[in-house]
Amino acid sequence: MTENTQTPSAPDSELPTQYAPAEVEGKLYERWVERGYFTADPASEKPPYTIVIPPPNVTGSLHLGHAFQHTLMDALTRRKRMQGYEALWLPGMDHAGIATQNKVEQQLAEEGKSRHDLGREEFVDRVWQWKEEYGGKILGQMRRLGDGVDWSRERFTMDEGLSKAVQTIFKKLYDDGLIYRAERIINWCPRCLTAISDIEVEYQDDAGELVSIRYGEGDETLVVATTRAETMLGDTAVAVHPDDERYAHLVGKQIKLPLTDRTIPVVADTHVDPEFGTGAVKVTPAHDPNDFAIGQRHGLANMTVMDEHGVITVHGPFLGLDRFEARSAIVGALREQGRIVAEKRPYQHSVGHCSRCRTTVEPRLSLQWWVGVKPLAKAAGDAVRDGRVTIHPQEMEKRYFDWVDNLNDWCISRQLWWGHRIPIWYGPEGQIVCVGPDDEIPDGEGWTQDTDVLDTWFSSGLWPFSTLGWPEKTPDLEKFYSTDVLVTGHDIIFFWVARMMMFGLYAMDGEVPFKTIALTGLVRDERGKKMSKSFGNVVDPLDWMDKYGSDAVRFTLAKGANPGTDVPIGEDWVQASRNFANKIWNATRFALMNGATIEGELPPVEKMSATDRWILSRLNKTVAQVDAYYDDYQFSKLSEALYHFAWDEVFDWYVELSKTTFFAGGEGAEVSGRVLGEVLDTTLRLLHPVVPFVTETLWTTLTGGESLVIADWPKAVSVPGTDGPGGFRDEAAEAEIENLQAVVTEVRRFRADQGLQPGQKVPARLDLAGTALAAHEPAIRQLLRLQPEGEEFSATATLPVGGATVALDLSGTIDVAAERKRLSKDLGAAEKEKQQAEAKLGNEAFLAKAPDNVVDKIKGRLAKAGADIVRIQAQLDALPPA
């Protein structure tokens, strides 16, 4: 090593002076893919580690929620690969039935056509064409983010293998009596013209109207209230509570239904709350789920009064009106007859909307296919209760159990053309045949296949095992199932997680689909507000990647990832992460310029300085800390630990403390160069899963290694003859450097308080005799910009700290009189603040009325004022006489 530490060594010639992510990231990613680093081998003897990606919709593009979860999955997979696992992160997309069909129908509408103009077969062909041309945009964007997925195993929920899996499990469920056809109330979207599941209905408060209507005549009348007056045309009863004495004389009688020539019975049912409203409710079994249940209990007729478009189909005056037009017309007609007892508008109430198109959902009686979920849901609950599956964080278990323990049968049929067509065939004599993938399709005149397709979540519920080749017993399935962890948002625990649990346990003979469910929160803006186009706060992560680099976006997201809680993110934070990447780059360049190396064994401990021993000890504690956080899915904590170790301890302290050693050259510089090389090697390995691009570039330059993707995950650094259970530790060196840090920090704070510029040099006397700090005097002087005393040195400020004394000569560097005046003014303000706070806290009347948070705030002000007084008085005492 040359003694001229300013001369760059050979490896540094490979590093530009500044890090330019755009010039690095794309090339690096393609190199990783081409070399097959992400391709998993089922024949490998390594232990498996498997994650299947939550398949994004084929219509989608990368948003911050995707970037967030993909960062976490990528970090987990990269670390396990480095730990020696055969790691498979399997990518793919969901066909997204309604969303995709809507896209193509919109395209057709621009051409003046509908899907019916094309017919089913031609329309489906058109959707496949759209998928090939426009679908899968997100897959290219995943490459930008750095997703280390096995592209050779990319799957699509409509590909041939997954279609076979869908048919197989449908037939198995059908044969076991768990799939059946029945007429029940479903959520119907009049725009998409299909049933949708409960979890695809989004509720919001809408301004409607609440009208109270008098039913019956004379003494036999009741008043019912409704927000959906149009459904009264389908009423087949009025219900009251059995114990409600107000209506006991009417139970069992027939009363006149207004606007019609029908009478309807009054029935007694415990579902009715006698304390709510008038205690009487209209019963429309064909248009309300609760009313349907009442109707079933009392044998009421189901009278459908709207078609699939939400258009009224009965009763002359209103026939052909849209449901909302009919609502106004019916209320007007009732008002003319004097039957409106009360009206309230606007009336804010929760209304369900189709999550795809925002149309108001209509409860509708319909003949559909269902999955009987009771035994499946019990198995899904038991798997968590008995510990085969762990939900993280644990407090999310309650939400999971609340769902699976109360799960209703699942409507799986959709009135769409794009999707897995239900494998049921109907014969001319009323025969019903379920056809599996290896069965012969019924042949002969009059046989037709069911026109409906399956709910998208039916096929995506098979994702953890269908993507590995099920129902065939493939090498992939044998090696990589069950998967290790599912990383997904807590918002789809009902949509997807429970479906996969039910189907995985059922299809795979009780073997769970994943061992851990790691639930994340949702990404929000920097103020904690939900990101929405209507709020104008939606961010395209690609814009931030272009501006700051993918590593910066990834690190920001990982730093915010506390288990199960939402993640606020703002551009300032991404910029700060970009600065961190730059800090890593610049510090590594400095290290390479000054002889940092990984060549040879670490020097014996007796040749190391306390600074060398300190950083190795801190490094080993960081390795253990990061491992523990990874195993507990504490991404925020592991990112913070790495940030503070790398920036604060390695770059701001170790590198700065070592500069005097490097500048001096000789054996000490060689020892520190080897220690710094070891620290950087390990730190870059630790950082790689979260920030893969910058670390890969720096590590390959530092070490000459092939790639961090296939490098070993770091273990505790070993120094021969000195190691304990966690590798090399030196508590004495840690205490020594902590003491040094305290001295430097205190003097820096004092300098700042006195208004000195960071680079301004000040004469100083350091009394370090009898302390371990004596050996660090050159480093302390350099860090604090302290000059030697000189012949005319006059100690105008003396700071005792850390067992040492630092005397400073501030004469000529500050205006003592002006500084004393400024500090005296600040002291007076602090004393006044203290008096005011003490007065309020001493006022019993105030304390009796003030909320706890107000009292706590005043206590905080008192504590701060007290601390300010002590600090400012110390500054005044340290000033030289005016």
Side-chain angles (χ1 to χ4, degrees):
M1 165 179 171
T2 177
E3 291 193 10
N4 181 0
T5 55
Q6 302 298 330
T7 302
S9 56
D12 182 56
S13 62
E14 299 178 31
L15 285 179
T17 56
Q18 290 185 329
Y19 177 50
E23 297 175 13
V24 170
E25 294 176 346
K27 295 175 184 177
L28 264 187
Y29 188 83
E30 291 310 316
R31 184 188 308 164
W32 291 334
V33 174
E34 288 168 7
R35 293 182 178 181
Y37 293 155
F38 305 141
T39 304
D41 180 6
S44 169
E45 294 183 0
K46 296 178 182 178
Y49 183 81
T50 314
I51 296 179
V52 292
I53 205 165
N57 286 354
V58 68
T59 60
S61 59
L62 190 74
H63 57 64
L64 275 175
H66 291 129
F68 172 50
Q69 291 177 4
H70 288 203
T71 294
L72 307 188
M73 286 183 275
D74 196 31
L76 290 171
T77 311
R78 285 178 182 270
R79 173 176 177 255
K80 285 296 182 181
R81 188 180 291 113
M82 294 173 74
Q83 286 181 315
Y85 286 79
E86 193 63 28
L88 168 61
W89 185 18
L90 192 147
M93 293 183 299
D94 192 283
H95 65 279
I98 296 177
T100 309
Q101 180 158 319
N102 281 350
K103 285 278 188 183
V104 179
E105 288 197 79
Q106 289 167 12
Q107 208 175 54
L108 287 173
E110 292 173 3
E111 301 171 13
K113 299 177 183 177
S114 75
R115 61 178 162 129
H116 300 285
D117 294 325
L118 272 65
R120 182 170 193 143
E121 187 174 340
E122 189 177 341
F123 176 78
V124 171
D125 286 343
R126 180 73 175 259
V127 180
W128 277 108
Q129 292 171 22
W130 182 92
K131 186 258 182 187
E132 293 304 316
E133 186 174 355
Y134 301 104
K137 174 182 175 184
I138 191 173
L139 299 178
Q141 296 168 340
M142 287 163 54
R143 292 173 177 261
R144 282 288 313 278
L145 188 65
D147 283 7
V149 295
D150 184 346
W151 291 109
S152 70
R153 287 178 166 84
E154 181 190 332
R155 303 305 298 268
F156 179 55
T157 51
M158 288 279 286
D159 69 29
E160 184 178 349
L162 270 64
S163 293
K164 182 175 183 180
V166 167
Q167 292 174 34
T168 300
I169 201 164
F170 187 100
K171 182 168 175 58
K172 179 174 170 59
L173 288 162
Y174 182 85
D175 290 346
D176 287 347
L178 292 174
I179 282 184
Y180 62 93
R181 199 182 191 205
E183 192 175 44
R184 293 187 181 174
I185 293 286
I186 48 91
N187 301 300
W188 181 264
C189 176
R191 158 61 184 80
C192 298
L193 297 180
T194 182
I196 58 177
S197 65
D198 291 344
I199 50 182
E200 291 170 307
V201 178
E202 293 182 356
Y203 288 89
Q204 67 183 47
D205 284 344
D206 285 358
E209 60 180 343
L210 179 70
V211 293
S212 298
I213 309 168
R214 178 171 52 83
Y215 281 25
E217 302 290 350
D219 294 334
E220 297 181 350
T221 63
L222 305 101
V223 174
V224 300
T226 182
T227 58
R228 300 168 67 215
E230 68 279 9
T231 63
M232 69 167 291
L233 302 176
D235 286 359
T236 54
V238 173
V240 298
H241 193 276
D243 300 330
D244 194 334
E245 295 181 359
R246 292 173 295 175
Y247 305 117
H249 67 290
L250 292 177
V251 173
K253 292 186 176 181
Q254 295 280 328
I255 62 171
K256 181 79 166 62
L257 178 64
L259 304 182
T260 73
D261 56 2
R262 294 190 293 120
T263 60
I264 55 176
V266 178
V267 299
D269 196 282
T270 54
H271 170 76
V272 179
D273 180 0
E275 302 298 322
F276 183 78
T278 64
V281 297
K282 60 191 286 299
V283 181
T284 320
H287 292 279
D288 183 274
N290 293 321
D291 293 3
F292 178 77
I294 293 174
Q296 293 290 99
R297 289 193 289 271
H298 296 276
L300 302 176
N302 300 318
M303 189 172 177
T304 301
V305 297
M306 276 180 249
D307 66 12
E308 64 269 25
H309 297 279
V311 173
I312 302 298
T313 58
V314 297
H315 203 71
F318 312 110
L319 182 66
L321 292 180
D322 170 80
R323 54 185 168 155
F324 300 119
E325 295 172 337
R327 181 177 300 173
S328 298
I330 287 170
V331 170
L334 290 167
R335 191 183 295 113
E336 288 180 6
Q337 293 186 8
R339 289 190 174 272
I340 299 296
V341 176
E343 295 181 69
K344 184 177 181 181
R345 68 166 68 87
Y347 177 71
Q348 294 290 330
H349 63 129
S350 183
V351 177
H353 296 262
C354 173
S355 62
R356 304 294 180 189
C357 68
R358 314 307 305 160
T359 300
T360 301
V361 168
E362 191 65 41
R364 186 169 188 261
L365 188 64
S366 182
L367 184 63
Q368 302 283 346
W369 285 96
W370 303 79
V371 173
V373 301
K374 189 173 182 180
L376 305 176
K378 182 181 184 304
D382 291 345
V384 175
R385 288 189 169 96
D386 63 25
R388 283 176 289 155
V389 176
T390 301
I391 294 179
H392 188 88
Q394 189 175 4
E395 55 265 27
M396 286 287 181
E397 281 187 2
K398 183 179 184 302
R399 292 186 65 187
Y400 176 80
F401 291 135
D402 286 347
W403 179 255
V404 298
D405 293 348
N406 299 287
L407 200 56
N408 296 319
D409 284 1
W410 173 18
C411 175
I412 56 171
S413 45
R414 298 290 181 267
Q415 291 63 55
L416 303 171
W417 287 355
W418 172 245
H420 292 281
R421 196 163 173 180
I422 289 178
I424 293 287
W425 290 74
Y426 304 104
E429 304 299 325
Q431 307 99 311
I432 299 178
V433 176
C434 181
V435 178
D438 300 321
D439 296 338
E440 291 288 333
I441 294 175
D443 193 14
E445 189 176 346
W447 283 91
T448 58
Q449 186 177 0
D450 196 298
T451 57
D452 289 352
V453 300
L454 288 164
D455 178 8
T456 297
W457 298 101
F458 189 95
S459 52
S460 59
L462 316 181
W463 191 252
F465 52 94
S466 64
T467 52
L468 296 172
W470 187 90
E472 307 301 328
K473 294 182 178 179
T474 63
D476 276 5
L477 191 65
E478 184 177 351
K479 176 75 173 180
F480 296 112
Y481 190 89
S482 62
T483 69
D484 287 86
V485 59
L486 172 72
V487 178
T488 192
H490 61 65
D491 56 322
I492 62 169
I493 192 171
F494 315 127
F495 282 82
W496 192 44
V497 178
R499 311 293 195 211
M500 288 188 291
M501 285 285 282
M502 292 191 297
F503 280 168
L505 291 162
Y506 175 75
M508 299 300 293
D509 299 321
E511 192 175 358
V512 297
F514 23 75
K515 303 174 186 72
T516 299
I517 302 169
L519 295 172
T520 69
L522 308 179
V523 179
R524 296 181 177 272
D525 71 13
E526 63 268 32
R527 296 178 181 85
K529 195 172 184 179
K530 181 180 178 181
M531 287 193 174
S532 166
K533 289 180 180 178
S534 60
F535 295 153
N537 61 350
V538 174
V539 173
D540 185 344
L542 296 170
D543 292 341
W544 281 352
M545 289 184 213
D546 290 340
K547 195 170 182 180
Y548 303 112
S550 297
D551 282 335
V553 174
R554 290 170 62 113
F555 194 68
T556 306
L557 291 165
K559 278 185 75 176
N562 288 302
T565 60
D566 290 347
V567 183
I569 184 172
E571 187 168 1
D572 288 349
W573 306 341
V574 183
Q575 186 172 353
S577 295
R578 188 271 312 274
N579 295 344
F580 179 52
N582 289 341
K583 183 79 169 181
I584 301 170
W585 183 271
N586 293 332
T588 304
R589 285 190 74 251
F590 171 85
L592 289 169
M593 290 169 62
N594 288 279
T597 179
I598 63 164
E599 294 298 323
E601 297 292 328
L602 278 172
V605 70
E606 59 268 18
K607 289 192 175 183
M608 294 183 189
S609 67
T611 309
D612 296 331
R613 299 194 306 275
W614 162 74
I615 197 62
L616 289 175
S617 187
R618 289 295 308 136
L619 174 66
N620 282 342
K621 288 184 177 180
T622 302
V623 170
Q625 197 175 36
V626 169
D627 276 332
Y629 287 145
Y630 260 116
D631 292 341
D632 198 34
Y633 303 98
Q634 298 278 1
F635 296 98
S636 178
K637 289 182 179 179
L638 73 88
S639 299
E640 287 287 349
L642 285 169
Y643 176 87
H644 289 297
F645 176 72
W647 190 306
D648 299 342
E649 297 187 297
V650 180
F651 305 143
D652 275 0
W653 283 107
Y654 181 72
V655 168
E656 292 299 320
L657 287 170
S658 300
K659 280 183 177 178
T660 53
T661 303
F662 287 133
F663 294 160
E667 185 180 41
E670 291 181 359
V671 169
S672 291
R674 179 65 186 88
V675 170
L676 180 53
E678 190 74 20
V679 171
L680 284 175
D681 177 16
T682 302
T683 302
L684 292 170
R685 291 173 194 255
L686 289 172
L687 282 164
H688 176 72
V690 180
V691 284
F693 295 109
V694 68
T695 53
E696 173 86 340
T697 306
L698 295 173
W699 184 85
T700 52
T701 304
L702 171 71
T703 68
E706 181 183 345
S707 174
L708 263 177
V709 179
I710 55 173
D712 290 337
W713 181 251
K715 297 179 181 177
V717 173
S718 176
V719 178
T722 62
D723 291 356
F728 176 77
R729 299 288 176 90
D730 192 329
E731 300 296 340
E734 290 196 44
E736 182 175 327
I737 301 304
E738 284 174 13
N739 195 26
L740 182 153
Q741 290 171 325
V743 171
V744 171
T745 300
E746 179 62 23
V747 176
R748 278 177 173 167
R749 188 181 64 78
F750 178 77
R751 286 177 56 110
D753 287 343
Q754 303 306 318
L756 297 176
Q757 295 300 313
Q760 189 173 351
K761 294 183 178 181
V762 177
R765 177 190 300 134
L766 273 60
D767 183 3
L768 308 175
T771 74
L773 297 177
H776 300 286
E777 181 168 346
I780 293 173
R781 283 189 175 276
Q782 180 169 322
L783 289 170
L784 292 172
R785 304 295 189 267
L786 302 180
Q787 292 178 323
E789 303 168 36
E791 295 181 2
E792 299 181 2
F793 178 82
S794 173
T796 59
T798 302
L799 302 174
V801 58
T805 302
V806 180
L808 304 174
D809 183 354
L810 302 179
S811 58
T813 60
I814 61 172
D815 183 337
V816 176
E819 187 64 14
R820 186 174 293 280
K821 183 177 180 181
R822 182 184 69 81
L823 289 172
S824 297
K825 182 179 179 182
D826 290 347
L827 181 63
E831 288 172 339
K832 183 177 180 181
E833 175 75 1
K834 180 184 176 185
Q835 292 170 0
Q836 290 176 342
E838 286 176 336
K840 285 190 175 182
L841 293 174
N843 186 334
E844 294 296 333
F846 170 78
L847 293 176
K849 296 179 181 178
D852 290 344
N853 65 316
V854 173
V855 174
D856 289 342
K857 187 175 180 180
I858 294 172
K859 287 180 178 178
R861 285 168 49 194
L862 176 62
K864 182 179 183 301
D868 286 345
I869 290 169
V870 172
R871 175 178 58 80
I872 297 168
Q873 188 61 59
Q875 291 175 235
L876 281 166
D877 293 343
L879 285 174

